[in-house]
Amino acid sequence: MAQSKRHALVFGASGVSGWAIVKELLKYPTGDTFNLVTGLTNRPLSLSDSSLPADPRLQLASAIDLTSSVDSVVAALKQKVKSVETVTHVFFTAYIEKPDFQSLKAVNVDLCKTAISAIDQISPNIQAVILQTGGKGYGVEFTDKLSIAPPLKESAPRIPKPYYDNIFYYGQHDILKDMSSTRSWTFSEVIPDVIIGFTPGTNFMNCAQGLGLWLSLVREIEDQGAKVPFPGTDKSWLCKHTDSSQDILARSEIHIALHRDTCMNASQFNSADGAVVTWSDKWPGICKYFGLQGTLPGSEPYSIEAWVKSNQQAWQALAQKHNLRQGIFENFSWPFLYFVMTAFDFDRHYDLSALRSTGFTESLDTVGGYTTAFDRMSAAKIIP
């Protein structure tokens, strides 16, 4: 019996999640599971700059403005995406950063609605839509006002108002639940913790990219073997969490998309590397990659952002010496590292039993997720 043809479409293909989904679709679960893989990016991205494999099944398309009307997106998809009417599996990871909760919610809920409405109009063959969200839905931004009770489970109720009104993931989920109720396709929501991975460009929420840039510069200035105290607090040093390395996250999403018989409509699944970890578990191994000694936090946290800004000329010299790509260091969002290494000083680890119940059992050593990202950054000339 001939295998069904599958065409995967990834919104947000240059981000830390979307890039990995595109890469994994070309080989997971097998090298011929998908006949076509399409990655959509906001800014132009050539295959040569993408660090993705040259594969005849892969196409990248850019400048499809998801903030425009549904009709405009439909027209752009038809113009720019070969065989767009054959799309069977959709992965939504697109995101636009905004400075406040309400504008963040408005733009990202509309982004999702427009994107899925457009491809729904074009392709009659859609089988599954995967919506990637994150830990904000568990209230991790409001732990000074709300209590969270790890291990965090998908069955937990939504956080109460007024904090509820700040979570755009809820709006995205509800839109897809409403749309899918009258369609032949179904959807699932996948919920990672902090995502660890590589991107070919600057990515707003990318812990590994920031650490790779910073620690490369520390090594250049302080030399091999230098001691690097953890920049957070004693409390954040020991908080429990479950990092989500991009390869494991991508494979779990593809697995869920392909197993609709065991993943009911509107189902939710946490996704993470597997082990519950703390920064005390990770920091020595992360620093060791750069030939540095990761040590305990000091008496007070310190600012990576301030240190980086005071050493920008040293970075420029390092970049020139190694012919590194321009703009990524300069445009990285350094405050994000403060949030995940200092402000996130509470236990937030995930329960993975729902994901395991689907038959997805893969796990990964979390430090290995970081070092894989650093290897990819080096190969892409982002760090030496």
Side-chain angles (χ1 to χ4, degrees):
M1 187 174 185
Q3 176 180 299
S4 299
K5 290 187 176 181
R6 299 186 183 95
H7 180 178
L9 179 70
V10 182
F11 288 96
S14 61
V16 66
S17 302
W19 181 89
I21 294 170
V22 171
K23 177 181 67 67
E24 292 297 325
L25 284 164
L26 296 170
K27 63 180 183 179
Y28 182 85
T30 70
D32 60 0
T33 300
F34 288 89
N35 306 85
L36 283 174
V37 176
T38 299
L40 302 182
T41 65
N42 181 31
R43 292 182 293 272
L45 179 66
S46 66
L47 184 60
S48 60
D49 289 336
S50 72
S51 296
L52 291 166
D55 189 305
R57 296 170 299 157
L58 172 62
Q59 60 177 330
L60 298 176
S62 63
I64 297 175
D65 183 6
L66 299 180
T67 65
S68 63
S69 68
V70 173
D71 287 345
S72 296
V73 175
V74 166
L77 287 170
K78 287 181 176 179
Q79 177 187 1
K80 298 187 177 187
V81 178
K82 179 183 67 175
S83 303
V84 67
E85 71 284 353
T86 68
V87 167
T88 55
H89 295 76
V90 179
F91 299 83
F92 185 82
T93 67
Y95 173 81
I96 294 178
E97 175 62 16
K98 291 292 182 180
D100 62 88
F101 285 121
Q102 290 310 305
S103 56
L104 185 72
K105 178 180 177 180
V107 71
N108 284 289
V109 171
D110 284 348
L111 206 69
C112 178
K113 183 178 181 180
T114 298
I116 305 305
S117 296
I119 190 58
D120 178 65
Q121 283 190 27
I122 298 170
S123 177
N125 304 301
I126 299 174
Q127 300 171 24
V129 174
I130 300 298
L131 169 68
Q132 183 181 296
T133 59
K136 292 179 180 182
Y138 290 127
V140 298
E141 294 174 298
F142 307 108
T143 54
D144 57 332
K145 303 176 180 68
L146 303 171
S147 61
I148 64 173
L152 302 178
K153 299 183 179 182
E154 304 90 339
S155 58
R158 290 181 174 182
I159 63 176
K161 290 178 176 288
Y163 315 107
Y164 173 106
D165 296 322
N166 295 325
I167 308 300
F168 70 84
Y169 295 147
Y170 296 163
Q172 291 179 327
H173 180 101
D174 292 345
I175 282 170
L176 295 188
K177 185 176 181 180
D178 181 64
M179 288 180 65
S180 61
S181 67
T182 58
R183 306 297 199 278
S184 59
W185 54 264
T186 58
F187 91 98
S188 289
E189 177 184 350
V190 176
I191 309 167
D193 196 344
V194 171
I195 302 168
I196 307 306
F198 162 84
T199 59
T202 300
N203 188 244
F204 178 73
M205 294 184 287
N206 190 333
C207 185
Q209 186 176 80
L211 289 177
L213 293 166
W214 171 49
L215 293 174
S216 294
L217 186 55
V218 171
R219 179 181 59 193
E220 180 72 7
I221 293 173
E222 304 291 342
D223 214 347
Q224 292 274 356
K227 292 182 178 180
V228 185
F230 179 69
T233 65
D234 289 338
K235 192 175 180 183
S236 62
W237 175 248
L238 295 174
C239 69
K240 297 176 183 177
H241 50 278
T242 35
D243 283 343
S244 304
S245 297
Q246 65 182 165
D247 292 355
I248 287 287
L249 175 59
R251 290 174 198 160
S252 70
E253 296 187 10
I254 296 167
H255 175 88
I256 291 165
L258 293 172
H259 291 81
R260 303 314 298 163
D261 53 334
T262 56
C263 302
M264 64 184 292
N265 191 40
S267 52
Q268 296 171 294
F269 300 97
N270 289 335
S271 181
D273 292 346
V276 176
V277 296
T278 67
W279 279 106
S280 67
D281 299 319
K282 302 185 297 181
W283 190 238
I286 290 170
C287 291
K288 183 180 179 181
Y289 179 92
F290 297 91
L292 303 168
Q293 296 182 56
T295 62
L296 295 166
S299 57
E300 295 290 336
Y302 61 92
S303 170
I304 296 173
E305 181 177 16
W307 187 91
V308 164
K309 287 185 176 179
S310 69
N311 288 284
Q312 289 190 59
Q313 287 187 336
W315 174 264
Q316 292 303 324
L318 178 66
Q320 185 173 14
K321 180 168 72 173
H322 294 280
N323 193 30
L324 301 181
R325 291 172 57 184
Q326 297 292 316
I328 295 178
F329 178 92
E330 294 79 1
N331 293 314
F332 184 76
S333 179
W334 298 104
F336 180 68
L337 291 184
Y338 166 79
F339 285 112
V340 298
M341 301 179 80
T342 304
F344 279 15
D345 61 357
F346 48 88
D347 291 347
R348 61 175 195 277
H349 48 291
Y350 282 5
D351 180 290
L352 297 181
S353 56
L355 178 62
R356 299 301 186 225
S357 73
T358 70
F360 186 83
T361 59
E362 293 189 42
S363 61
L364 177 71
D365 169 68
T366 294
V367 172
Y370 280 92
T371 59
T372 294
F374 299 149
D375 284 343
R376 290 170 178 166
M377 290 174 66
S378 180
K381 303 295 286 184
I382 294 172
I383 61 174

